[in-house]
Amino acid sequence: MANSTPPTTPVSAEAAVAPAGPSNLRLRVIYGLIGAAMLLGSVWFSPWTFGLFFAAVQAVMLWEFYRMMRAGGSRPIVWMGLLMGLLIYVYIYGQGAIHHYFNLPTGGYTIYPPLGEESPFDRNTFLLSTLPTIYAGLSLAALVAIVALVLCEILRWPNGGKPFDNISAVYGGIFYVALPMSFLSQIGFGGGHYDYRRIFALLFLIWASDIGAYAAGKTFGKHKMAPQISPGKTWEGWAGGFVLTLVVGWAVGFMLPDMPLTHRLVAAGVVAVFAPLGDLAESMLKRSVGVKDSGSIMPGHGGLLDRFDAFLLVLPVLALLQLLFS
């Protein structure tokens, strides 16, 4: 019988002494540091860099979501979803930016200047024409996009596959990715003015949840949370993440001294509960469509949806609490 062992390819002397490329861990560290610097720098520099950075992040995350939907058999009209996501982002970000740039003296939730101070613009004209026009235009564009999505499916039938699966995939991306990420602007512009420290605090809480869960899970983890979805996650890890997140929630008081301790601990509790659920939800999505990573934009880290999945359940809850109790 012929030998079934494949022949060994000789290795040249040059290849034998060639230096090895960077390890996966080194790549993760390098790209992680670059990504963190871009993230923190854009948040710190100005409201505009914050807005542009996260508009790009939201768009990439939404594209990755639609890519996974295609892997699962749907054929969403990607450009329509991206357009609707952009409209939602501009609408929510725009409200915060208007308060920030036209009500600088006192903050708050009104664009009227305080009594006794001159307005830097004709507020009556602005209120009666500009704002309603902008909001009405964005609302009309959103309604047109809804109708246009159905019309596009009609026009490409039957070559587009299952039309209502496609429509559901488009709106799934809007409600799962675009709308939650847009709520980040509400956090940043809370109180009427942009404050990068609130975004920093949220990032630190989410990172604390992740780091604490990883460390405690590696050290003490025995009881699996959801082994069919994410075998590495344990209840011990979750508890470790919860504790570290509460500690960081207390510590961010040095950065946000005006925020009461109760508010900080409530926000930390929301992150500690909903950040792991956001991670599990995205893992479930990837398993359901048979993909390992949402993308490859960051070598060693997967896609942006993999990096920001915790935000997708945390932000709607924080935005709701801010709306109810601000």
Side-chain angles (χ1 to χ4, degrees), residues 3-45:
N3 187 1
S4 59
T5 303
T8 302
T9 304
V11 180
S12 65
E14 291 80 1
V17 299
S23 65
N24 188 55
L25 177 60
R26 186 184 300 179
L27 283 176
R28 285 178 61 87
V29 171
I30 292 173
Y31 282 96
L33 291 175
I34 293 173
M38 293 176 61
L39 170 62
L40 296 174
S42 66
V43 171
W44 168 80
F45 190 74

Side-chain angles (χ1 to χ4, degrees), residues 19 36 82 94 105 129 156 167 173 183 190 205 213 216 228 265-266 275 278 318 324:
L82 294 175
S129 61
R156 67 175 185 163
I167 293 173
F183 286 143
L205 291 174
Q228 299 299 322
L265 293 182
V266 168
L318 288 180
L324 291 176

Side-chain angles (χ1 to χ4, degrees), residues 73-87:
S74 299
R75 298 181 61 186
I77 302 177
V78 176
W79 69 269
M80 289 290 294
L82 294 175
L83 175 61
M84 285 189 281
L86 178 63
L87 291 174

Side-chain angles (χ1 to χ4, degrees), residues 4-322:
S4 59
T5 303
T8 302
T9 304
V11 180
S12 65
E14 291 80 1
V17 299
S23 65
N24 188 55
L25 177 60
R26 186 184 300 179
L27 283 176
R28 285 178 61 87
V29 171
I30 292 173
Y31 282 96
L33 291 175
I34 293 173
M38 293 176 61
L39 170 62
L40 296 174
S42 66
V43 171
W44 168 80
F45 190 74
S46 76
W48 293 112
T49 54
F50 159 75
L52 291 173
F53 180 84
F54 277 100
V57 167
Q58 184 223 57
V60 173
M61 292 174 65
L62 198 52
W63 179 85
E64 290 175 348
F65 175 84
Y66 292 140
R67 170 183 170 272
M68 288 193 286
M69 290 297 98
R70 285 182 173 270
S74 299
R75 298 181 61 186
I77 302 177
V78 176
W79 69 269
M80 289 290 294
L82 294 175
L83 175 61
M84 285 189 281
L86 178 63
L87 291 174
I88 291 172
Y89 185 89
V90 170
Y91 187 89
I92 296 177
Y93 175 85
Q95 293 185 63
I98 286 170
H99 289 307
H100 175 79
Y101 283 105
F102 291 103
N103 192 28
L104 287 173
T106 60
Y109 290 93
T110 171
I111 65 171
Y112 286 103
L115 294 176
E117 296 187 22
E118 293 186 1
S119 171
F121 61 97
D122 186 341
R123 65 188 182 193
N124 292 324
T125 301
F126 185 80
L127 287 171
L128 295 177
S129 61
T130 308
L131 270 181
T133 300
I134 293 173
Y135 292 156
L138 290 171
S139 301
L140 178 61
L143 292 174
V144 169
I146 292 173
V147 176
L149 179 60
V150 178
L151 290 177
C152 287
E153 290 293 345
I154 291 174
L155 291 175
R156 67 175 185 163
W157 170 263
N159 297 323
K162 299 179 180 180
F164 285 94
D165 284 358
N166 302 336
I167 293 173
S168 298
V170 171
Y171 288 120
I174 297 300
F175 285 100
Y176 175 58
V177 176
L179 189 59
M181 290 304 294
S182 298
F183 286 143
L184 191 60
S185 296
Q186 186 174 334
I187 305 298
F189 286 104
H193 290 297
Y194 177 74
D195 189 343
Y196 72 89
R197 297 175 300 170
R198 286 191 288 266
I199 306 297
F200 275 17
L202 177 59
L203 291 171
F204 295 156
L205 291 174
I206 290 178
W207 291 342
S209 174
D210 193 30
I211 293 170
Y214 179 81
K218 283 289 186 182
T219 306
F220 308 108
K222 292 181 179 179
H223 301 88
K224 305 293 185 183
M225 288 184 67
Q228 299 299 322
I229 298 175
S230 183
K233 290 192 177 300
T234 62
W235 286 106
E236 292 83 0
W238 175 80
F242 197 104
V243 170
L244 185 58
T245 306
L246 290 181
V247 171
V248 173
W250 168 81
V252 295
F254 294 100
M255 183 173 62
L256 290 168
D258 296 333
M259 181 178 290
L261 175 62
T262 304
H263 292 186
R264 301 198 309 271
L265 293 182
V266 168
V270 168
V271 170
V273 171
F274 288 95
L277 291 178
D279 189 21
L280 284 174
E282 202 246 348
S283 296
M284 181 174 63
L285 170 62
K286 291 189 292 187
R287 286 187 177 275
S288 69
V289 297
V291 301
K292 182 179 182 295
D293 295 316
S294 66
S296 57
I297 192 169
M298 294 178 65
H301 290 268
L304 291 186
L305 195 55
D306 296 321
R307 296 299 92 203
F308 289 93
D309 52 7
F311 285 70
L312 301 181
L313 295 187
V314 167
L315 286 172
V317 179
L318 288 180
L320 178 61
L321 291 177
Q322 182 172 304

